[in-house]
């Protein structure tokens, strides 16, 4: 059963009416209601606030990394472990093919259902997860296999064990090493890009965001608690942080916005997967026109331009 957000109440009512009309085999009513639904979707989703987009980015039915991997890759083979400590299930690494193109996909996986969420640690990677991602990326770089990174995490795991195993060093090491990769790299924020946990697999030749994804240095809840000590200020914080794809594109902090379906990737998963596939293959075609040295130089200039303002 579909999960509806508060601002989708009218859409929910119309969709329920469509189900009733279909049960009664009233084709005329179905046709009228479907037109009404189309208008309501356009009206609702073309006027979303930043906070509503945050809710969509966290939607429980939104496609996660494994949904995209299952829809994109053929002959997929999973890479496990960091060869130092353990296999972190919050980060997944798969070798496979997108069409005829061999590719490595690195993704942050949140998990569905209580058991799977615990298994994936709610999508919060530990140091060994970032080291696994780096190990896989270095292997791909050695054989010049393009890399696609799927960002979706509330943040790196903040537990004592993660700190004891040098969480900050693992993230910093990834920033340094990923900036130096010569193989084509594309990173896409598919849901929630939280702080350094997201940044660790965001350094790429091209960085894009799905239309309803968010990317921020801190969660609106954390910002609200620190600045106002008031949990009711979350919506204000979300608007002030400029966390949406449109905001970040305007600030030149990302390269592109991927137009997932207007009603959201959680309602039309196949269309969202296709949109991401098209973006990746088009980006790869563009990047392959450059030499490895030209890609490195372009990446360097992009990184050095971050934080510039007028």
């Amino acid at each position: 059963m579909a999960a509806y957000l508060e601002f989708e109440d009218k859409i929910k009512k119309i969709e329920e009416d469509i189900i009733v009309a279909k049960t009664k085999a009233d084709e005329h009513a179905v046709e009228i209601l479907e037109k009404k639904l189309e208008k309501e979707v356009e009206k609702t989703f073309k006027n979303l606030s930043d906070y509503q987009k945050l809710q969509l980015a966290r939607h429980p039915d939104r496609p996660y990394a494994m949904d995209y991997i299952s829809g994109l890759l053929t002959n997929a083979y999973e890479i496990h472990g960091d060869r130092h400590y353990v296999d972190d299930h919050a980060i997944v690494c798969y070798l496979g093919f997108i069409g005829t193109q061999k590719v490595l996909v690195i993704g942050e996986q949140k998990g569905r259902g209580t058991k799977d969420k615990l298994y994936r640690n709610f999508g919060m990677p530990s140091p060994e997860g970032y080291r696994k991602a780096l190990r896989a990326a270095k292997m791909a770089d050695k054989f010049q296999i393009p890399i696609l990174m799927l960002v979706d995490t509330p943040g790196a795991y903040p537990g004592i064990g993660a700190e004891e195993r040098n969480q900050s060093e693992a993230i910093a090491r990834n920033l340094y090493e990923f900036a130096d990769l010569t193989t084509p790299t594309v990173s896409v924020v598919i849901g929630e890009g939280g702080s350094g946990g997201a940044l660790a697999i965001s350094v790429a030749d091209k960085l894009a965001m799905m239309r309803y994804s968010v990317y921020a240095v801190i969660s609106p809840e954390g910002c609200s608690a620190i600045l106002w000590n008031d949990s009711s200020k979350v919506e204000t914080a979300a608007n002030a942080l400029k966390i949406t794809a449109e905001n970040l594109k305007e600030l030149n902090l990302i390269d592109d916005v991927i137009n997932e379906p207007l009603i959201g990737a959680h309602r039309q998963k196949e269309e969202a997967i296709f949109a991401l596939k098209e973006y990746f293959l088009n980006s790869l075609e563009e990047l392959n026109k450059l030499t490895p040295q030209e890609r490195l130089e372009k990446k360097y200039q992009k990184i050095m331009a971050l934080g510039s303002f007028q």
Side-chain angles (χ1 to χ4, degrees):
M1 191 173 181
Y4 292 88
L5 299 171
E6 191 178 336
F7 64 85
E8 295 178 301
D9 281 346
K10 289 182 180 177
I11 293 170
K12 179 184 177 182
K13 178 68 173 63
I14 297 168
E15 287 186 340
E16 287 172 348
D17 290 343
I18 289 173
I19 292 169
V20 172
K22 283 181 176 177
T23 305
K24 295 178 179 177
D26 189 343
E27 293 181 9
H28 180 63
V30 169
E31 188 179 338
I32 292 170
L33 286 166
E34 283 180 343
K35 287 179 180 176
K36 186 178 177 183
L37 177 63
E38 192 177 320
K39 287 180 181 177
E40 187 59 43
V41 165
E42 190 169 348
K43 178 185 168 185
T44 302
F45 283 84
K46 282 198 171 178
N47 296 288
L48 294 174
S49 68
D50 289 358
Y51 181 65
Q52 288 169 333
K53 288 177 183 177
L54 172 68
Q55 290 177 294
L56 284 170
R58 293 172 172 174
H59 198 287
D61 295 333
R62 192 169 178 83
Y64 292 156
M66 286 305 300
D67 296 309
Y68 284 102
I69 289 168
S70 300
L72 289 171
L73 286 186
T74 56
N75 296 336
Y77 179 84
E78 187 171 5
I79 297 169
H80 293 279
D82 67 342
R83 291 185 177 170
H84 287 282
Y85 183 67
V86 75
D87 187 25
D88 183 4
H89 305 295
I91 284 190
V92 292
C93 303
Y94 278 84
L95 271 173
F97 290 85
I98 296 178
T100 58
Q101 175 63 58
K102 188 181 288 185
V103 64
L104 169 71
V105 181
I106 299 170
E108 290 168 319
Q109 174 69 13
K110 285 182 172 178
R112 297 193 193 281
T114 305
K115 189 179 284 188
D116 194 35
K117 284 178 180 178
L118 290 170
Y119 180 72
R120 300 289 181 185
N121 199 31
F122 298 86
M124 295 185 291
S126 293
E128 47 275 13
Y130 295 119
R131 290 176 183 135
K132 173 170 72 171
L134 179 58
R135 177 173 83 83
K138 297 284 273 186
M139 180 189 68
D141 193 48
K142 180 178 179 180
F143 296 103
Q144 287 297 289
I145 298 170
I147 302 172
L148 171 62
M149 293 170 270
L150 304 175
V151 179
D152 190 16
T153 179
Y157 182 55
I160 292 173
E163 295 299 331
E164 287 175 342
R165 296 189 300 279
N166 298 314
Q167 181 74 285
S168 58
E169 187 278 337
I171 292 171
R173 173 65 58 181
N174 274 26
L175 302 184
Y176 176 78
E177 298 279 5
F178 274 78
D180 203 38
L181 297 178
T182 59
T183 194
T185 54
V186 177
S187 185
V188 179
V189 183
I190 58 172
E192 192 175 7
S195 193
L199 196 60
I201 60 167
S202 292
V203 177
D205 294 307
K206 298 205 79 172
L207 173 59
M209 292 175 67
M210 299 296 281
R211 189 207 300 252
Y212 299 132
S213 63
V214 296
Y215 195 26
V217 70
I218 189 172
S219 69
E221 290 82 0
C223 177
S224 174
I226 291 168
L227 292 185
W228 295 290
N229 196 28
D230 184 353
S231 60
S232 68
K233 297 280 189 179
V234 173
E235 190 165 350
T236 305
N239 293 329
L241 282 167
K242 305 295 182 188
I243 59 177
T244 66
E246 289 80 8
N247 291 149
L248 294 170
K249 177 72 174 88
E250 192 177 327
L251 293 167
N252 292 320
L253 293 173
I254 63 168
D255 297 300
D256 298 294
V257 178
I258 300 173
N259 282 322
E260 66 179 88
L262 183 65
I263 199 169
H266 60 290
R267 294 288 175 79
Q268 297 178 349
K269 292 184 182 181
E270 288 183 8
E271 288 85 345
I273 291 167
F274 180 76
L276 191 146
K277 176 183 177 180
E278 287 291 290
Y279 176 78
F280 175 69
L281 292 176
N282 290 338
S283 296
L284 199 55
E285 188 179 339
E286 182 185 323
L287 292 169
N288 280 331
K289 292 175 183 176
L290 305 172
T291 66
Q293 194 55 45
E294 285 172 335
R295 283 197 295 269
L296 274 176
E297 178 60 27
K298 199 171 179 182
K299 197 191 304 184
Y300 173 78
Q301 294 300 336
K302 184 171 74 169
I303 291 169
M304 295 308 291
L306 294 175
S308 61
F309 63 94
Q310 293 179 343

